[in-house]
Amino acid sequence: MSTPERLIESTRELLWERGYVGTSPKAIQQHAGAGQGSMYHHFSGKPDLALAAIRRTAEEMRATAEAVLGGDGSAYERVAAYLLRERDVLRGCPVGRLTMDPDVIASETLRAPVTETLEWLRERLAGIVQEGLDQGEFTPALDADEIASTIVATVQGGYVLARSTGSPAAFDAGVRGLLALLAPHRAG
Amino acid sequence: MSTPERLIESTRELLWERGYVGTSPKAIQQHAGAGQGSMYHHFSGKPDLALAAIRRTAEEMRATAEAVLGGDGSAYERVAAYLLRERDVLRGCPVGRLTMDPDVIASETLRAPVTETLEWLRERLAGIVQEGLDQGEFTPALDADEIASTIVATVQGGYVLARSTGSPAAFDAGVRGLLALLAPHRAG
DNA sequence: GTCTATAGTTGGATAGAC
DNA sequence: GTCTATCCAACTATAGAC
């Protein structure tokens, strides 16, 4: 892997684990096995490198979600597949965790990929729920946009619960609860 | 307010806004209008002060939740009251946000109040849902513990969505979605 | 109890040699 | 492209005067 590649990948790991505020250029360099001069040759500084890392992580998250959401099956089945897909629960969401990072939120540039990714996910899910409504799969009492928000929130909040206890159990429970609530709305 | 009081309150504010990693002793002192010597006289250091702040925040969160959850009304009504209670959505949850703080999670001592508070909330809600189940208010298809996890996760994740967009709208949508899903399970 | 002085470490970055 | 040297501010804390 090239040096810029290694720097980006190292930054992705550290941002995931320690957040933007908790990640220093020095730590990135050491993790990447690159010197100071090398890092500042390829990137203008910490924000520049972080932006590259965040963009890639966001892209990857979209691709991972799309792989499940764009699959076969009914709306409910695709939502269930998304909720039940394998996750590194205790590490949390590498995109969602950035919303708790004050410096990321304060920077228009760094926040943009975060906003866009979570909004994309919300809308993608809303589209699927709407499909289910249109085809009579769900009872019409539901609002697609609201349900999509609930789904994303349950996942993001599930990470919080899991990390607080140090066990994925609460995440799984939250997901099962949501699926149980959603199930009886199925008409087909 | 006494100096220790001001230091604790300032730490609470800063932990909420910037997290543990992003909060320096110096910032706390300035916010509290206290000198270095003063702070180190009353507290052994940053972790000690943070612990006092976190404990108080955790206590307050419990009291706020209990005020709503211990009120009158059916199980559904109390859950709805909890979900719909007024919140400073964009600031997020002062307890939940700490789960994304690597140094808090790494410290048994600092993490304990976080774990305990979120577990208490989960169990408190589970008790209410179970009450609803026992009294035939909800259809027996539901598992109290799972639903409680879903409720807490929706709230915690709602903060993530709100902060990512800079607007409380997504939080509100997630909550309404959850209530819509829960409603038809009501027998009474 | 509070203040100032001091100190070692890290954060984040620049300069210039190679 | 990479390395070393250098820089200044901030972080976290201790020491000792008042």
Side-chain angles (χ1 to χ4, degrees):
Chain A
M1 214 172 4
S2 71
T3 299
E5 261 325 287
R6 287 202 321 276
L7 285 165
I8 293 177
E9 289 302 315
S10 294
T11 305
R12 298 214 303 145
E13 298 250 335
L14 290 170
L15 283 183
W16 196 355
E17 196 177 318
R18 302 198 41 88
Y20 182 84
V21 176
T23 299
S24 71
K26 189 178 201 169
I28 294 170
Q29 292 150 24
Q30 287 172 342
H31 190 283
Q36 304 231 9
S38 194
M39 174 188 144
Y40 283 101
H41 173 74
H42 293 290
F43 299 92
S44 74
K46 178 176 163 177
D48 186 33
L49 184 43
L51 181 58
I54 292 172
R55 279 191 175 141
R56 183 172 297 182
T57 296
E59 218 171 297
E60 199 180 278
M61 180 173 153
R62 262 161 98 136
T64 304
E66 181 60 33
V68 173
L69 295 175
D72 285 342
S74 66
Y76 177 87
E77 282 166 354
R78 277 179 289 161
V79 167
Y82 170 72
L83 286 169
L84 297 170
R85 88 153 212 262
E86 218 173 309
R87 294 164 193 276
D88 207 340
V89 171
L90 288 181
R91 294 190 80 186
C93 173
V95 174
R97 75 115 49 236
L98 297 172
T99 63
M100 297 304 156
D101 232 303
D103 291 3
V104 170
I105 292 301
S107 157
E108 191 102 1
T109 312
L110 292 179
R111 190 185 45 199
V114 175
T115 310
E116 286 160 16
T117 303
L118 291 173
E119 280 304 286
W120 171 84
L121 180 58
R122 233 163 62 91
E123 288 165 15
R124 187 72 178 85
L125 280 164
I128 290 174
V129 172
Q130 188 59 52
E131 238 178 82
L133 285 166
D134 292 345
Q135 302 187 357
E137 185 187 340
F138 292 130
T139 56
L142 302 184
D143 177 283
D145 199 64
E146 286 177 8
I147 300 302
S149 297
T150 307
I151 294 167
V152 180
T154 300
V155 169
Q156 292 293 325
Y159 290 129
V160 170
L161 296 183
R163 284 177 64 89
S164 94
T165 55
S167 149
F171 181 98
D172 295 337
V175 162
R176 282 198 305 275
L178 181 57
L179 286 172
L181 288 174
L182 200 51
H185 286 272
R186 299 167 76 191
Chain B
M1 213 173 4
S2 70
T3 298
E5 262 323 288
R6 287 202 321 277
L7 284 165
I8 292 177
E9 288 304 313
S10 295
T11 304
R12 296 213 305 144
E13 298 252 334
L14 290 170
L15 283 184
W16 196 355
E17 198 179 317
R18 302 196 42 86
Y20 183 83
V21 176
T23 298
S24 71
K26 187 176 202 172
I28 294 169
Q29 292 150 24
Q30 286 172 343
H31 191 282
Q36 303 230 9
S38 195
M39 175 189 141
Y40 284 101
H41 173 73
H42 294 290
F43 299 93
S44 73
K46 179 177 164 176
D48 186 31
L49 185 43
L51 180 59
I54 292 173
R55 280 192 175 139
R56 184 173 298 182
T57 296
E59 218 172 297
E60 199 180 278
M61 179 172 155
R62 265 162 95 134
T64 304
E66 182 58 32
V68 173
L69 295 176
D72 284 343
S74 66
Y76 177 87
E77 283 166 354
R78 278 179 288 162
V79 167
Y82 170 72
L83 286 169
L84 297 170
R85 88 152 214 262
E86 218 173 309
R87 294 165 193 275
D88 208 340
V89 171
L90 289 180
R91 295 190 79 185
C93 173
V95 174
R97 75 113 53 236
L98 297 172
T99 62
M100 298 302 155
D101 233 303
D103 291 4
V104 170
I105 293 300
S107 157
E108 191 101 2
T109 312
L110 292 179
R111 190 184 46 200
V114 175
T115 310
E116 284 161 16
T117 304
L118 291 173
E119 280 303 288
W120 171 85
L121 181 57
R122 232 163 61 92
E123 287 166 16
R124 187 72 178 82
L125 280 164
I128 291 174
V129 173
Q130 188 60 52
E131 240 179 78
L133 284 167
D134 290 345
Q135 301 188 358
E137 185 187 339
F138 291 131
T139 56
L142 302 184
D143 177 284
D145 199 65
E146 286 178 7
I147 300 302
S149 298
T150 306
I151 294 167
V152 180
T154 299
V155 169
Q156 293 293 326
Y159 290 128
V160 171
L161 295 182
R163 285 177 64 89
S164 94
T165 57
S167 149
F171 180 98
D172 295 336
V175 162
R176 283 198 305 275
L178 180 58
L179 286 172
L181 288 174
L182 200 50
H185 285 272
R186 298 166 76 191

